[in-house]
Amino acid sequence: MIIRHGTIGARFRLVANRSPIQSTTTTVRLSPITRCDRISTTFLRSPSRFILDRGIHSNTGNMSSTTDISSTAHSAESASEASSSIASSDAVQEATTASKEEQSSDAQQKEEEKRLPPLKGAEFRAYNRLAEHMDVFHAHFRTSWNALWAAACAGNSKGKASSRGGRSIVNDGLAFISQLEIHHNIEETYIFPILARRMPEFRTDGKGGKGAAELLQQHREIHDGMEGMRKYLRACRDGEKELDMPTLKTQMENWGSVLWKHLDQEVETLGAENMRKYWTIEEIRRIPM
């Protein structure tokens, strides 16, 4: 009996020592995407379940990362557009400010001119010095032009340049052109460069083109007319052509209007009221004329 009980006890102990199949209770927290709270599930350990759970969290992380990248790119693009808009706005504002400053400067200059006291006596003559000297030369050119013009308008037929009257007209015309050409060369070489330092009315673009001041452009037009008239008078002098008064008149008409405009405008530009804007009396005295 004792042995049997021992056997039974041994068997009992053997059975009792065996490990029974245990179940495991695991709490799974699903991704926020499912919008569920905790769900408790009792199941046997399975690798596939952990893989599934890991995949859910991995996908959630990837979606979050993608959303962050997209949001960052959108923010960068918005910042770039905002920066471009601000830069454009600043450029417009600067241009507007510059335009207002320029208008204000012009208005201020005009206001200062209005406040300048009138010139009288010796002061006016000092400022008007260059205009008076220039008008002396221009008066000579007006006289010479009027004499040639009268001869051209009076003659109705062709005449010989070898005759006394013909030779006088040809020689007077060539002398007039030569003197006017020398006068312009002196102006452009010695006088205009000094005046151009402060006065835009005498500035040149260095090429004799449209960028030059109006007075300089007038010189070019006058010279073109002079050259045509000189060729004709030389041909008459050399016997290549007969002196024809209507032809001479046509030659003078080609550049007469610009010449007379220039003679008046140049003197006016050198007048006292304009010169006082740029020079002092002492500076005007040192300008050669």
Side-chain angles (χ1 to χ4, degrees), residues 57-256:
H57 289 286
S58 176
N59 291 338
T60 304
N62 290 339
M63 292 177 65
S64 176
S65 176
T66 303
T67 304
D68 292 342
I69 294 173
S70 176
S71 177
T72 303
H74 180 71
S75 299
E77 184 178 355
S78 300
S80 177
E81 292 177 356
S83 177
S84 299
S85 177
I86 293 172
S88 177
S89 177
D90 290 345
V92 172
Q93 186 175 1
E94 289 178 1
T96 303
T97 303
S99 178
K100 290 181 179 179
E101 290 178 355
E102 185 175 345
Q103 293 176 0
S104 177
S105 178
D106 294 340
Q108 185 178 358
Q109 183 177 357
K110 291 180 180 180
E111 188 65 25
E112 289 177 357
E113 291 175 7
K114 291 180 181 179
R115 291 199 301 263
L116 290 174
L119 296 173
K120 297 180 180 180
E123 188 179 28
F124 176 84
R125 289 192 297 272
Y127 276 112
N128 205 50
R129 169 180 170 269
L130 298 184
E132 291 178 356
H133 279 72
M134 186 67 71
D135 201 38
V136 171
F137 294 105
H138 287 191
H140 169 72
F141 294 133
R142 291 187 185 97
T143 301
S144 299
W145 176 274
N146 287 335
L148 287 172
W149 181 256
C153 292
N156 297 321
S157 60
K158 294 182 179 180
K160 292 184 178 181
S162 57
S163 65
R164 183 175 180 179
R167 286 198 305 271
S168 177
I169 294 173
V170 171
N171 290 336
D172 288 346
L174 289 173
F176 165 71
I177 293 173
S178 178
Q179 292 168 6
L180 185 57
E181 185 176 45
I182 293 172
H183 173 74
H184 283 178
N185 289 339
I186 293 174
E187 286 180 335
E188 295 183 11
T189 303
Y190 300 104
I191 301 175
F192 286 4
I194 297 175
L195 298 175
R197 295 173 187 172
R198 300 181 186 176
M199 303 177 70
E201 298 94 331
F202 296 96
R203 289 174 186 165
T204 177
D205 60 357
K207 303 176 183 179
K210 295 182 179 180
E214 185 178 3
L215 291 174
L216 275 298
Q217 294 184 38
Q218 291 170 356
H219 274 196
R220 303 285 81 77
E221 294 181 44
I222 291 171
H223 289 179
D224 291 341
M226 286 194 311
E227 192 59 31
M229 183 172 167
R230 175 158 43 199
K231 288 181 179 179
Y232 174 72
L233 292 176
R234 283 178 175 176
C236 294
R237 182 195 62 186
D238 298 339
E240 299 174 2
K241 293 182 179 181
E242 291 185 357
L243 179 61
D244 180 60
M245 296 306 170
T247 301
L248 177 60
K249 181 180 178 181
T250 300
Q251 288 288 340
M252 297 180 71
E253 287 175 341
N254 291 338
W255 55 292

